């Protein structure tokens, strides 16, 4: 239904619509597997265990590990480094300086190139050539050059080669290349204005792709490439194949697919020698197919491939291609991860061809006869038996067919025909995958994905879905991750950006301080050994370890002894905040008073709850007792902290003169969640209802039906509104058009991670108490809440709200931009800081606030929008506010807000 409503619309509208539908349908049907919230957020300032390398050079964009994984080679702008892979910050780092000469730079500038970015020697290629030498290519200020590096001496050979046919001219041109058996395969649009091309450069014969009469590649932008040794264990004597991944101009006639660019995969056979006359010095085995990555229920396509990672299997046939996909528009962020099996790709290449009859732009399925041997196949035993030992012996009709039919008709669909992960507001740029065996002896794929804002997401794939274990801030904002590589031997992941390299261990199990946290993390490298969360690899005795990757909630029991117990003594009428920090973005707090769950957190009840604690408003004497804060996550509930609160009448703060009769027992009784699914029934439903699902399409009851009806009606309103805005955008250009795009993207942050913003919201004085963050704990004043120093350790201390600040009406005024965090509030971690002491906390704040729809919508108000646009903004605003309330304060009576 919704899918049908989408098709035929311009894709830009689809994004806006998709976002609307997701918000509107949010309360109806939870789909926890899409638009995943990272469980843990670690800011750069609190990042431990990391090691950094920085130098005078910038743009650390190519990486290579030495065969023994002892050294990491890094290609940057104007330099190549050899770093100690076990600790990249350890000196000495060996350096080869290779910058273009001033004259060359001058020439580059006179060609009209940008002397701040393009007129340098960007190392674009860095790979092993043979057992002793590496091969590198650099753009060399728009005159590409290549050279060998002696690995042991780490010195460049004197012989420098022309790089024009191997390396692109600029730093941003799509490019991929690899060396196989000392033959160099590269794919790029080498010179500006030339046709994109896949080449085998050496040794002769040099092979290329064909441009006439049918152009095999259409303004292709290459993303990645890889060899699959399909000759190994092949029963047909098949050849090894090289796969190239790219985006190119859309040539399809299919109307359902309206994008201007599409993702594709091409392949060639390694033993291809080209044709004898026809296709002389051209590939005879070139075939390409479309790569699809879409949300089927929305008919929503992620058309741009950003990165691929080729994961070898035990057998070549088990090879998997993981792709990061995104959207065409620069100001709409979204990513999807799709996984393709080699057999799916092979199936497309063995299926029907497409044809382009009049050399026009339309491509249609070819239905005529196919010559024999099948065009585009490698030389196999069968062909050899027929006397065709090499591609040069292939018949002319076959080669002529190859020349005219490069495109396959079948599209390559991802496993399960849907993405493993779908992420709004995040653009992933790079990915690397590590396989690890869990305690359950199953093999897990752990994905490390870098974002365009310098973050690293670590995710584990379980049953076709990705669970994001953590998001780590590695670099300051505005620094996209530009390289990523994993060393199994060093158990490290290395991440490059424009300013430097970071080395991180594959896991930081000590980050999880309780059994439940260790378990819920679902980190395949970590397990609970009874006292702490440890790395499995280092542990020999596995029998005592607890881990549950499959469900992430089974194994931990009775954590009574570890719970922090605190006392609070307050005066009648005071406002008291009982802090309860949940480390997980997926957890929700639950409070009990003397064993009874606190119900109806409205103003009348005298309680308010938020993600950081429970607020007792105007304490009454009957509110004394034992408060326990539980975290509720993934159907398990576990205690975090216990407060013994006494309320007394006297105005003289200390010592408390008249204590109320508040008897509390120090012993805590915690119901052990033996059977999590059943215990979950008495609990409120878990968080993370994020996407409408099939339930929306097939309502099971009237309520759902009404809601979907409302959704559709409002969706239609939005379509109208958006169309108007869109038209306005087309006619008037400028900030107005940008508004509609940004608004669409901005819908998400609050939609998904109700907790994700809390660390940043800490700094907004207009925020209410739930936004008190860990940054403020034990650090004195924050947001108008005055807390004594080290409130954690000072039992009986007072926690007061400064009057006037707390009455900020929540629905009237969207919060303004957050002021910067005072420097004193930033936890310091010398281990991970750059030498200059730069900290990334401030940019993060801005980053998160930028993704905050309130801010963006507010900005558009100020632009003096038309009434129509204004109401749209209002509408979104209201909707977001409403959702925020239901998310943050699930039990709050709305009238009390
Ligand atoms: C190289 O680094 C500079 C400054 O750090 C940055 O502005 C630029 O975008 C980077 N270029 C590439 C190609 O990454
Ligand atoms: C690399 O660093 C490690 C740890 O700092 C050190 O033990 C090792 O000797 C270093 N290797 C080299 C080749 O410098
Ligand atoms: C780039 O060129 C401009 C003039 O065209 C000059 O002013 C500037 O200093 C140059 N920048 C660099 C880094 O060479
Ligand atoms: C590797 O290639 C380089 C450059 O062509 C050559 O000098 C060197 O001898 C080769 N090494 C081996 C072991 O073949
Ligand atoms: C093909 O190779 C086989 C053995 O490698 C050889 O006997 C045969 O003569 C070759 N045929 C041609 C046409 O080159």
């Amino acid at each position: 239904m919704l899918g049908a409503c989408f098709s035929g619309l311009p894709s830009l509208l689809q994004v806006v619509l998709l976002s609307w539908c997701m918000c509107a349908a949010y309360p109806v049907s939870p789909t926890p597997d899409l638009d995943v919230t990272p469980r843990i957020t670690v800011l750069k300032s609190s990042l431990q265990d990391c090691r950094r390398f920085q130098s005078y050079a910038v743009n650390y964009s190519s990486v290579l590990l030495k065969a023994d994984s002892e050294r990491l080679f890094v290609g940057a702008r104007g330099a190549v480094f050899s770093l100690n892979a076990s600790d990249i910050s350890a000196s000495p780092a060996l350096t080869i300086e290779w910058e273009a000469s001033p004259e060359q730079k001058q020439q580059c500038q006179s060609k009209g190139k940008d002397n701040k970015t393009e007129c340098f020697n960007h190392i674009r290629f860095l790979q092993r050539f043979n057992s002793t030498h590496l091969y590198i290519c650099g753009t060399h200020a728009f005159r590409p050059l290549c050279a060998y590096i002696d690995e042991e001496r780490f010195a460049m050979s004197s012989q420098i080669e022309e790089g024009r046919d191997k390396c692109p001219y600029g730093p941003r041109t799509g490019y991929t290349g690899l060396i196989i058996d000392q033959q160099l395969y590269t794919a790029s649009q080498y010179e500006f204005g030339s046709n994109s091309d896949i080449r085998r450069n050496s040794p002769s014969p040099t092979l290329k792709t064909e441009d006439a009469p049918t152009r095999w590649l259409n303004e292709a932008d290459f993303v990645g490439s890889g060899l699959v040794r399909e000759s190994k264990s092949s029963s047909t004597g098949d050849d090894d194949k090289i796969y190239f991944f790219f985006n190119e101009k859309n040539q399809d006639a299919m109307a359902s697919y309206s994008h201007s660019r599409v993702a594709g995969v091409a392949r060639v056979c390694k033993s291809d020698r080209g044709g004898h006359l026809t296709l002389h010095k051209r590939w005879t085995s070139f075939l390409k197919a479309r790569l699809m990555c879409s949300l089927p229920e929305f008919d929503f396509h992620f058309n741009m491939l950003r990165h691929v990672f080729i994961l070898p299997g035990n057998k070549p046939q088990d090879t998997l291609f993981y792709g990061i996909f995104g959207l065409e528009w620069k100001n709409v962020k979204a990513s999807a991860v799709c996984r393709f099996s080699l057999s799916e790709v092979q199936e497309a290449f063995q299926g029907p061809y497409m044809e382009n009859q009049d050399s026009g732009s339309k491509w249609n399925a070819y239905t005529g006869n196919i010559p024999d041997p099948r065009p585009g196949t490698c030389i196999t035993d069968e062909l050899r038996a027929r006397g065709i030992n090499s591609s040069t012996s292939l018949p002319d009709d076959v080669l002529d067919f190859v020349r005219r039919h490069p495109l396959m008709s079948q599209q390559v669909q991802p496993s399960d025909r849907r993405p493993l992960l779908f992420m709004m507001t995040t653009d992933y740029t790079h990915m690397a995958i590590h396989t690890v065996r869990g305690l359950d002896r199953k093999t897990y794929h752990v994905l490390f994905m870098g974002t365009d804002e310098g973050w690293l997401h670590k995710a584990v794939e379980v049953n076709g879905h990705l669970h994001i274990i953590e998001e780590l801030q590695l670099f300051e904002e505005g620094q996209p991750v530009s390289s990523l590589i994993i060393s199994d031997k060093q158990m490290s992941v290395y991440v490059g950006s424009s300013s430097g390299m970071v080395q991180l261990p594959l896991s930081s199990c000590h980050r999880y301080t309780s059994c439940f946290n260790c378990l819920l993390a679902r980190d395949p490298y970590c397990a609970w050994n009874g006292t702490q969360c440890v790395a499995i690899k280092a542990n020999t005795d596995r029998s005592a370890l607890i881990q549950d990757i499959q469900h992430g909630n089974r194994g931990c029991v009775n954590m009574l002894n570890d719970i922090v117990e605190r006392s609070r003594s307050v005066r009648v009428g005071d406002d008291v905040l009982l802090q309860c920090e949940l480390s997980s973005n997926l957890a929700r707090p639950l409070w009990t008073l003397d064993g009874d769950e606190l119900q109806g957190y409205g103003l009348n009840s005298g309680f308010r709850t938020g993600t950081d604690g429970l607020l007792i408003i105007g304490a009454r004497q009957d509110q004394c007792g034992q408060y326990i804060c539980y975290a509720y996550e993934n159907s398990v509930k576990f205690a975090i902290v216990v407060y013994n609160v006494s309320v007394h009448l006297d105005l003289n703060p200390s010592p408390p003169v008249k204590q109320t009769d508040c008897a509390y027992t120090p012993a805590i009784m915690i119901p052990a969640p033996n059977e999590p699914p059943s215990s979950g029934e008495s609990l409120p439903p878990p968080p993370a209802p994020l996407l409408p699902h099939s339930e929306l399409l097939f309502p099971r009851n009237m309520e759902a039906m009404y809601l979907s009806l409302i959704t559709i009606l409002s969706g239609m309103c939005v379509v109208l509104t958006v169309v108007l805005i869109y038209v306005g955008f087309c006619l008037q250009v400028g900030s107005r058009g940008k508004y509609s795009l940004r608004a669409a993207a901005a819908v998400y942050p609050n939609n998904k991670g109700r907790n994700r913003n809390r660390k940043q919201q800490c700094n907004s004085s207009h925020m209410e108490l739930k936004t008190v963050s860990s940054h403020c704990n034990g650090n004195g004043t924050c947001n108008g809440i005055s807390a004594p120093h080290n409130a954690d350790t000072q039992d009986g201390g007072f926690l007061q709200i400064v009057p006037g600040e707390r009455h900020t009406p929540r629905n009237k005024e969207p919060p303004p931009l957050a002021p910067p965090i005072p420097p004193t509030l930033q936890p310091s971690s010398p281990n991970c800081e750059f030498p200059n002491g730069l900290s990334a906390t401030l940019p993060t704040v801005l980053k998160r606030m930028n993704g905050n729809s309130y801010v963006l919508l507010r900005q558009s108000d100020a632009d003096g929008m038309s009434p129509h646009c204004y109401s749209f903004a209002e509408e979104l605003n209201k909707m977001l506010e409403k959702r925020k309330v239901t998310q943050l304060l699930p039990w709050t009576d709305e009238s009390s807000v």
Side-chain angles (χ1 to χ4, degrees):
M1 204 152 58
L2 282 173
C5 117
F6 280 172
S7 60
L9 281 172
S11 309
L12 178 61
L13 287 184
Q14 284 192 12
V15 181
V16 179
L17 262 187
L18 180 65
S19 53
W20 171 264
C21 289
M22 286 171 73
C23 303
Y26 163 76
V28 181
S29 48
T31 310
D33 47 307
L34 285 176
D35 201 25
V36 183
T37 302
R39 183 171 180 272
I40 292 207
T41 305
V42 182
L43 294 178
K44 181 165 170 272
S45 50
S46 8
L47 196 62
Q48 290 167 356
D49 311 327
C50 74
R51 300 175 194 283
R52 289 180 187 272
F53 172 77
Q54 274 193 303
S55 71
Y56 62 91
V58 294
N59 301 134
Y60 297 77
S61 51
S62 37
V63 283
L64 177 72
L65 277 160
K66 203 177 168 185
D68 61 5
S69 287
E70 289 298 335
R71 296 205 76 87
L72 176 72
F73 302 111
V74 182
R77 196 182 82 181
V80 186
F81 301 97
S82 167
L83 311 176
N84 181 339
S86 67
D87 179 357
I88 62 168
S89 64
S91 51
L94 307 178
T95 308
I96 293 175
E97 284 186 40
W98 190 25
E99 192 45 274
S101 64
E103 299 80 58
Q104 184 57 41
K105 286 184 178 178
Q106 190 58 47
Q107 278 184 25
C108 172
Q109 202 181 327
S110 60
K111 282 185 209 156
K113 304 302 169 192
D114 185 348
N115 68 351
K116 289 188 191 64
T117 54
E118 293 171 302
C119 296
F120 292 96
N121 189 23
H122 289 269
I123 307 296
R124 297 294 313 266
F125 189 88
L126 167 62
Q127 287 200 13
R128 171 165 310 286
F129 181 72
N130 58 23
S131 57
T132 56
H133 284 70
L134 310 178
Y135 195 64
I136 58 171
C137 295
T139 59
H140 205 258
F142 259 68
R143 188 172 167 265
L145 295 177
C146 297
Y148 296 91
I149 290 179
D150 181 325
E151 200 178 358
E152 277 319 307
R153 292 191 297 121
F154 197 63
M156 210 157 80
S157 64
S158 51
Q159 139 212 22
I160 305 248
E161 296 182 350
E162 178 59 56
R164 206 187 311 147
D165 292 338
K166 307 166 187 169
C167 181
Y169 284 54
R172 291 190 190 275
T173 313
Y175 175 56
T176 181
L178 67 172
I179 294 175
I180 299 161
D181 303 337
Q182 298 182 27
Q183 298 192 349
L184 177 64
Y185 297 76
T186 57
S188 187
Q189 181 183 2
Y190 299 91
E191 270 170 271
F192 182 75
S194 69
N195 289 322
S196 41
D197 187 12
I198 295 175
R199 287 185 194 169
R200 184 172 68 205
N201 293 284
S202 62
S204 59
T206 298
L207 294 185
K208 304 166 102 178
T209 43
E210 183 68 291
D211 288 324
T214 301
R215 196 174 285 180
W216 286 359
L217 292 162
N218 226 312
E219 294 170 31
D221 215 358
F222 289 91
V223 171
S225 55
L227 168 76
V228 182
R229 295 218 178 259
E230 286 169 60
S231 66
K232 243 205 245 171
S233 73
S234 166
S235 56
T236 58
D238 202 356
D239 194 5
D240 294 339
K241 299 188 187 73
I242 301 125
Y243 291 84
F244 292 89
F245 298 86
F246 55 92
N247 301 298
E248 68 171 345
K249 227 168 119 181
N250 190 8
Q251 301 167 307
D252 287 3
M254 297 187 182
S256 69
Y257 203 86
S258 58
H259 294 282
S260 65
R261 291 183 75 76
V262 288
V265 53
R267 74 106 209 265
V268 294
C269 301
K270 201 183 80 180
S271 307
D272 199 337
R273 315 290 300 162
H276 180 58
L277 292 172
T278 308
L279 290 184
H280 182 59
K281 292 198 174 183
R282 298 287 185 268
W283 301 102
T284 64
S285 55
F286 178 94
L287 293 174
K288 68 175 178 179
R290 295 275 160 264
L291 277 184
M292 301 301 286
C293 183
S294 48
L295 292 171
E297 60 268 58
F298 296 105
D299 193 19
F300 185 83
H301 301 278
F302 292 88
N303 61 318
M304 297 292 280
L305 182 64
R306 296 233 183 78
H307 194 243
V308 282
F309 186 87
I310 299 172
L311 188 69
N314 292 330
K315 290 178 298 206
Q317 200 55 37
D318 300 335
T319 304
L320 295 172
F321 305 113
Y322 280 82
I324 292 172
F325 288 78
L327 301 172
E328 253 168 300
W329 311 290
K330 292 232 155 47
N331 31 9
V332 180
K333 291 194 178 193
S335 298
V337 177
C338 277
R339 181 186 58 201
F340 305 91
S341 66
L342 179 64
S343 52
E344 286 271 357
V345 176
Q346 284 172 336
E347 205 184 299
F349 288 139
Q350 279 151 17
Y353 300 83
M354 295 285 266
E355 71 173 344
N356 180 8
Q357 252 172 348
D358 331 308
S359 305
S361 60
K362 298 275 183 219
W363 285 74
N364 296 297
Y366 173 81
T367 49
N369 290 331
I370 296 170
D372 182 57
R374 190 182 156 88
T377 48
C378 305
I379 305 297
T380 57
D381 287 342
E382 190 205 331
L383 295 192
R384 285 184 203 104
R386 288 161 61 174
I388 305 172
N389 283 2
S390 148
S391 62
T392 49
S393 329
L394 283 167
D396 257 357
D397 61 329
V398 170
L399 294 180
D400 194 55
F401 189 93
V402 168
R403 163 182 270 171
R404 289 166 190 279
H405 301 86
L407 177 63
M408 307 312 298
S409 155
Q410 196 172 319
Q411 299 166 335
V412 183
Q413 295 288 346
S415 319
D416 298 335
R417 303 186 78 84
R418 61 180 304 112
L420 298 172
L421 173 86
F422 156 62
M423 196 79 168
M424 277 293 175
T425 70
T426 302
D427 270 351
Y428 292 124
T429 59
H430 278 76
M431 148 168 81
I433 300 175
H434 190 234
T435 52
V436 58
R437 189 170 272 226
L439 270 189
D440 53 10
R441 308 239 147 251
K442 290 196 173 80
T443 298
Y444 291 99
H445 295 168
V446 182
L447 283 73
F448 293 84
M449 298 178 287
T451 77
D452 64 332
E453 298 187 351
W455 290 66
L456 183 72
H457 288 195
K458 172 178 164 184
V460 60
E461 186 187 332
V462 185
N463 301 327
H465 300 295
L466 285 178
H467 163 75
I468 303 183
I469 298 166
E470 57 198 12
E471 58 173 351
L472 313 174
Q473 186 189 29
L474 305 185
F475 304 102
E476 280 89 15
E477 196 194 349
Q479 285 195 48
V481 167
S482 56
S483 52
L484 195 60
I485 194 169
I486 291 172
S487 165
D488 187 61
K489 183 176 175 195
Q490 305 286 357
M491 284 300 276
S492 287
V493 54
Y494 306 89
V495 187
S497 78
S498 60
S499 74
M501 295 291 305
V502 172
Q503 175 187 6
L504 282 168
L506 293 182
S507 64
S508 295
C509 302
H510 59 80
R511 197 173 280 146
Y512 310 109
T513 50
S514 73
C515 180
F516 278 107
N517 265 320
C518 188
L519 187 79
L520 288 160
R522 299 167 87 176
D523 188 327
Y525 302 99
C526 302
W528 185 257
N529 70 358
T531 51
Q532 47 182 286
C533 200
V534 292
I536 291 184
K537 203 173 184 180
N539 252 269
T540 42
D541 181 20
R542 294 180 163 218
S543 59
L545 296 182
I546 298 168
Q547 187 192 58
D548 179 15
I549 308 299
Q550 288 291 319
H551 309 97
N553 56 14
R554 299 181 185 173
C556 292
V557 278
N558 290 322
M559 295 294 304
L560 297 175
N561 35 354
D562 287 348
I563 292 151
V564 189
E565 197 166 333
R566 296 171 193 161
S567 298
R568 289 281 182 270
S569 169
V570 295
R571 290 171 300 194
V572 166
D574 275 349
D575 295 338
V576 191
L577 177 70
L578 305 180
Q579 287 187 326
C580 179
E581 265 291 318
L582 305 182
S583 57
S584 165
N585 296 325
L586 306 177
R588 201 179 53 192
L590 276 180
W591 287 86
T592 60
L593 170 55
D594 293 333
D596 297 328
E597 195 177 305
L598 287 179
Q599 298 287 349
Y601 287 60
L603 269 183
N604 298 339
S605 70
F607 298 109
R608 293 286 294 275
T609 189
T611 55
D612 291 47
L614 178 79
L615 177 65
I616 304 175
I617 301 161
R620 302 185 306 263
Q621 286 186 303
D622 64 341
Q623 283 176 319
C624 67
Q626 185 182 61
Y627 289 80
I628 305 179
C629 172
Y630 296 90
Y632 181 71
E633 179 179 356
N634 196 10
S635 310
V636 293
K637 175 178 133 174
F638 56 100
I640 304 284
V641 60
V642 175
Y643 286 96
N644 293 312
V645 175
S646 56
V647 183
H648 59 91
L649 284 168
D650 198 77
L651 294 176
N652 186 8
S654 66
V657 180
K658 190 178 174 190
Q659 196 97 6
T660 50
D661 293 326
C662 221
Y664 39 75
T665 43
I668 312 154
M669 300 304 291
I670 297 168
N674 285 331
E675 204 41 70
S678 65
S679 78
E681 280 172 17
S682 63
L683 297 164
L690 293 166
L691 252 190
H693 205 42
S694 47
E695 277 174 45
L696 182 68
L697 308 179
F698 308 102
R700 260 183 289 168
N701 52 45
M702 289 308 285
E703 191 189 4
M705 202 122 86
Y706 280 130
L707 277 168
S708 31
L709 198 65
I710 291 166
T711 308
I712 290 159
L713 285 176
S714 28
M716 287 162 87
C717 287
V718 174
V719 175
L720 270 175
T721 317
V722 167
V723 167
L724 280 170
I725 295 172
Y726 193 64
V727 168
F729 167 67
C730 297
L731 294 178
Q732 295 187 13
V733 198
S735 60
R736 224 170 258 197
K738 206 161 184 173
Y739 156 76
S740 59
L741 290 170
R742 295 304 293 255
V747 169
Y748 292 90
N750 291 317
N751 184 13
K752 62 178 172 191
R754 71 194 193 295
N755 287 356
R756 288 185 72 189
N757 284 337
R758 73 191 144 114
K759 294 201 167 70
Q760 286 71 43
Q761 288 170 346
C762 161
N763 306 289
S764 162
S765 59
H766 285 249
M767 288 287 174
E768 31 173 0
L769 279 164
K770 63 184 162 43
T771 62
V772 176
S773 115
S774 57
H775 289 301
C776 314
N777 293 352
N779 270 306
T781 314
C782 181
N783 303 345
I785 301 164
S786 58
H789 247 281
N790 295 328
D792 290 0
T793 51
Q794 286 188 356
D795 281 355
F798 284 92
L799 227 69
Q800 287 183 299
I801 311 302
V802 175
E805 292 281 344
R806 71 185 159 105
H807 294 299
T808 313
R810 60 178 300 146
N811 269 352
K812 305 280 154 55
E813 192 92 331
L817 258 178
I821 298 180
T824 50
L825 292 184
Q826 290 171 8
S828 63
S829 162
N831 196 18
C832 285
E833 292 291 24
F834 285 117
N836 61 8
L838 272 180
S839 167
T841 313
L842 175 56
T844 315
V845 171
L846 295 175
K847 165 198 156 186
R848 294 304 188 192
M849 295 308 287
N850 272 340
N852 185 310
S853 41
Y854 303 108
V855 175
L856 288 166
L857 291 172
R858 216 52 207 170
Q859 281 168 349
S860 55
D861 282 4
D863 286 351
M865 308 262 297
S866 75
H868 215 105
C869 293
Y870 181 76
S871 67
F872 178 45
E874 281 271 270
E875 200 52 49
L876 273 174
N877 224 345
K878 270 187 209 149
M879 185 177 73
L880 287 165
E881 279 294 351
K882 203 175 270 177
R883 192 186 49 245
K884 198 174 147 215
V885 172
T886 47
Q887 273 187 311
L888 287 168
L889 309 166
W891 303 280
T892 301
D893 175 7
E894 288 212 16
S895 62
S896 70
V897 176

